[in-house]
Amino acid sequence: MKYKVPRGTRDILGSDMLVWNRVNDAIAKITALNNYQKIETPIFEQTDLFKRGVGENTDIVEKEMYTFEDKSQRSLTLRPEGTASVVRAFVENKLYGGRLPIKLFYNGPMFRYEKAQKGRYRQFYQFGIEALGSGDPGLDAEVISVGWQLLMDVGIDSEEVKVHINSVGCKECREKYKEKLIEYYQDKTESLCSNCKTRLDKNPLRLLDCKNESCGAMANKAPSIFDVICTSCDEHFSSVKRYLEVFNVPYVLDKRLVRGLDYYTHTAFEYRNQKATSTQDAFGGGGRYNGLVEELGGPQTPAIGLAMGVDRIVLALLEKQLPQEHLNFFVVSMGEEEVQRYATEVMQMIRQHGYSCDKDYGGRSFKAQMRLADKCNAEKAVIIGDEEMKNKTLTLKNLKEGKQEILLEKQLKQQLERGSLSV
Ligand code: HAM
């Protein structure tokens, strides 16, 4: 019997994990700099939360949820995204009664039953931020800047990404816009793809981001929301753009940008990977959702957030350059248990000074241990044999430059304490 990972899932290890760690470090840094606090919510929630929160007519709810009954016949769903859960937590824990806006972030697995392919998985990872309790357009720009900054910090080039922004208006202007779109498409239904045909009544905005070529051509000529947008939404959007200049985030206006989730109002945005083909080109996206807190049982609360696809960021980085393992020291030790115990003592002493260090546990020959040190990309080798053990000495070798020196163990300790090594 051979076991395999389920379709659309994968093990993350080796160089993937090294890049993953780099992204997670950048996430920790950027959330601290911008004052976002971490929140953990359950991996599964009541199914109704997502139906209500994400929207009954979305692809996610219609086709992609991992829904199951537990042993007490409760319908539960593995979270397909993080926003609905954060809003549920905001309402349930009455966070609206505290200092606002509250700025939260999460970083973890999400689940969607999608057609699995490169960059699209059934278990994937999102880093997301949600800022609840402020309608300030400066906050929209801050949120957009966090996603941009993350991409820049991890090493994506600025030419590789385009930040698309749009406004989807408030409830009122969106209703007017939907009518306009239905009117525009009325005599064109014959030429629409089957997906768009069914969407026209339920969710006409989604026709704008159809990837089908002829639907795309029609969408390009479709009326824009800016034909019907109300003054307050228009002013909000103009202000967001001015703040984006302050945050130094380059952007393109994209009147065809509508997002696949139903809760959005006002600002919508996506970070598109210029090198990616097809539909897996979004590094991330988000927008305002000023009606969602109320929809899920809380008081009227403006809010905005984003989610970045960590898998896609890692993929783009892996295509650039494979990262290398790295160790400060490798202890090469030849001899019986007594020698190994001395080698272990030296290794622990090195680690206690804050340097990474490892040794051989496989009974390898001297040569094989040196090769292993090289494979681990160790900077320095500490060589220990019977003689060294007896005299409490060691040979310190700089593996990059080839220089070496015999030291007393306590001399190495002093050098580590000073933070400067003789070779
Ligand atoms: P979303 O656009 O559905 O938004 O997902 C955000 C990002 O997650 C995508 O741009 C993509 O990078 C990644 N992603 C989505 N599905 C997959 C998949 N199957 N495989 C790999 N990566 C994927 C949201 O989820 C919203 N909750 C964002 C948000 C937060 N809006 C407001 N606050």
Side-chain angles (χ1 to χ4, degrees):
M1 173 79 152
K2 271 197 189 152
Y3 297 106
K4 287 185 166 175
V5 289
R7 194 171 164 71
T9 71
R10 66 216 200 284
D11 301 313
I12 299 155
L13 38 79
S15 45
D16 288 21
M17 189 50 94
L18 295 179
V19 177
W20 213 279
N21 288 342
R22 182 156 25 116
V23 176
N24 281 336
D25 289 348
I27 288 171
K29 185 176 139 212
I30 200 153
T31 47
L33 285 178
N34 288 272
N35 197 26
Y36 285 76
Q37 315 291 330
K38 190 158 192 189
I39 177 168
E40 288 282 1
T41 61
I43 296 285
F44 55 85
E45 298 264 6
Q46 290 170 6
T47 301
D48 278 345
L49 172 69
F50 300 117
K51 285 193 178 166
R52 192 80 191 253
V54 176
E56 297 264 11
N57 295 326
T58 57
D59 283 351
I60 294 180
V61 171
E62 277 180 350
K63 308 188 253 196
E64 297 170 359
M65 295 210 298
Y66 279 92
T67 297
F68 59 97
E69 275 191 359
D70 69 4
K71 292 189 194 308
S72 312
Q73 283 76 51
R74 292 184 191 93
S75 179
L76 299 170
T77 293
L78 299 184
R79 60 183 189 189
E81 59 107 49
T83 313
S85 302
V86 170
V87 172
R88 195 246 335 112
F90 178 81
V91 175
E92 190 171 348
N93 296 291
K94 298 193 174 58
L95 300 181
Y96 47 81
R99 197 178 73 207
L100 295 178
I102 181 163
K103 307 206 296 185
L104 302 168
F105 81 95
Y106 49 89
N107 184 8
M110 307 288 162
F111 306 84
R112 295 184 193 173
Y113 189 78
E114 291 200 76
K115 210 167 145 215
Q117 50 197 289
K118 189 178 166 200
R120 175 175 288 168
Y121 309 101
R122 292 181 176 171
Q123 174 170 335
F124 61 99
Y125 294 78
Q126 277 187 349
F127 152 63
I129 64 176
E130 312 291 347
L132 301 108
S134 167
D136 187 327
L139 187 58
D140 300 38
E142 175 180 291
V143 168
I144 298 172
S145 81
V146 167
W148 169 259
Q149 199 54 56
L150 176 70
L151 294 171
M152 297 303 106
D153 284 0
V154 295
I156 305 278
D157 296 328
S158 55
E159 307 82 61
E160 269 179 80
V161 203
K162 274 214 162 88
V163 184
H164 289 232
I165 63 166
N166 192 18
S167 174
V168 293
C170 60
K171 226 175 167 177
E172 285 75 36
C173 24
R174 206 166 43 255
E175 281 315 309
K176 277 194 214 150
Y177 186 42
K178 279 184 184 170
E179 279 169 29
K180 265 225 155 291
L181 282 176
I182 293 174
E183 202 181 295
Y184 168 76
Y185 280 108
Q186 220 166 30
D187 55 357
K188 298 177 183 62
T189 46
E190 283 310 303
S191 335
L192 288 171
C193 73
S194 58
N195 222 347
C196 283
K197 269 184 194 147
T198 49
R199 274 175 172 166
L200 185 57
D201 285 336
K202 291 194 255 171
N203 204 348
L205 262 69
R206 292 303 309 278
L207 268 64
L208 296 175
D209 72 349
C210 181
K211 303 282 185 256
N212 177 299
E213 212 174 298
S214 81
C215 297
M218 277 184 267
N220 280 336
K221 292 189 196 132
S224 143
I225 186 143
F226 295 100
D227 300 341
V228 291
I229 201 162
C230 68
T231 319
S232 136
C233 287
D234 199 26
E235 275 170 8
H236 181 90
F237 192 57
S238 301
S239 180
V240 172
K241 287 186 283 184
R242 287 194 294 271
Y243 275 111
L244 281 174
E245 311 278 340
V246 182
F247 281 102
N248 242 327
V249 179
Y251 60 83
V252 289
L253 291 184
D254 179 359
K255 64 169 192 163
R256 276 183 60 189
L257 174 71
V258 286
R259 308 255 309 125
L261 302 93
D262 270 359
Y263 45 65
Y264 291 111
T265 61
H266 306 85
T267 318
F269 56 92
E270 258 172 34
Y271 308 86
R272 301 256 176 91
N273 180 351
Q274 300 306 294
K275 283 193 179 164
T277 46
S278 79
T279 49
Q280 282 77 255
D281 67 344
F283 278 129
R288 261 203 177 275
Y289 47 92
N290 286 355
L292 187 59
V293 175
E294 209 173 9
E295 182 75 29
L296 296 180
Q300 211 297 311
T301 308
I304 175 151
L306 69 73
M308 306 300 288
V310 177
D311 312 71
R312 292 186 186 175
I313 298 174
V314 169
L315 262 181
L317 294 174
L318 283 169
E319 275 165 21
K320 285 175 176 293
Q321 196 187 24
L322 283 184
Q324 280 196 323
E325 278 183 64
H326 173 252
L327 264 187
N328 296 126
F329 292 87
F330 193 94
V331 178
V332 173
S333 46
M334 294 304 301
E336 296 305 314
E337 193 191 308
E338 219 180 327
V339 177
Q340 298 305 331
R341 283 211 310 272
Y342 173 55
T344 304
E345 184 187 305
V346 174
M347 175 172 72
Q348 281 300 86
M349 186 270 287
I350 293 171
R351 288 172 176 168
Q352 276 155 11
H353 284 81
Y355 294 91
S356 57
C357 184
D358 205 353
K359 74 184 274 295
D360 171 51
Y361 288 107
R364 287 179 175 80
S365 68
F366 176 78
K367 261 189 161 172
Q369 288 190 48
M370 290 302 280
R371 273 200 303 273
L372 184 59
D374 214 41
K375 280 198 185 123
C376 295
N377 197 20
E379 287 166 44
K380 294 182 170 70
V382 171
I383 303 162
I384 290 172
D386 286 312
E387 277 301 300
E388 284 84 356
M389 181 202 61
K390 273 189 224 132
N391 306 329
K392 289 273 172 196
T393 58
L394 46 89
T395 303
L396 180 65
K397 178 166 184 173
N398 185 319
L399 294 172
K400 309 289 165 198
E401 294 164 15
K403 284 188 288 186
Q404 64 179 52
E405 196 177 88
I406 297 172
L407 297 174
L408 287 167
E409 185 196 357
K410 66 176 183 207
Q411 285 177 310
L412 176 64
K413 189 165 186 251
Q414 283 163 355
Q415 293 187 9
L416 291 173
E417 271 161 14
R418 280 204 307 269
S420 73
L421 292 156
S422 48
V423 298

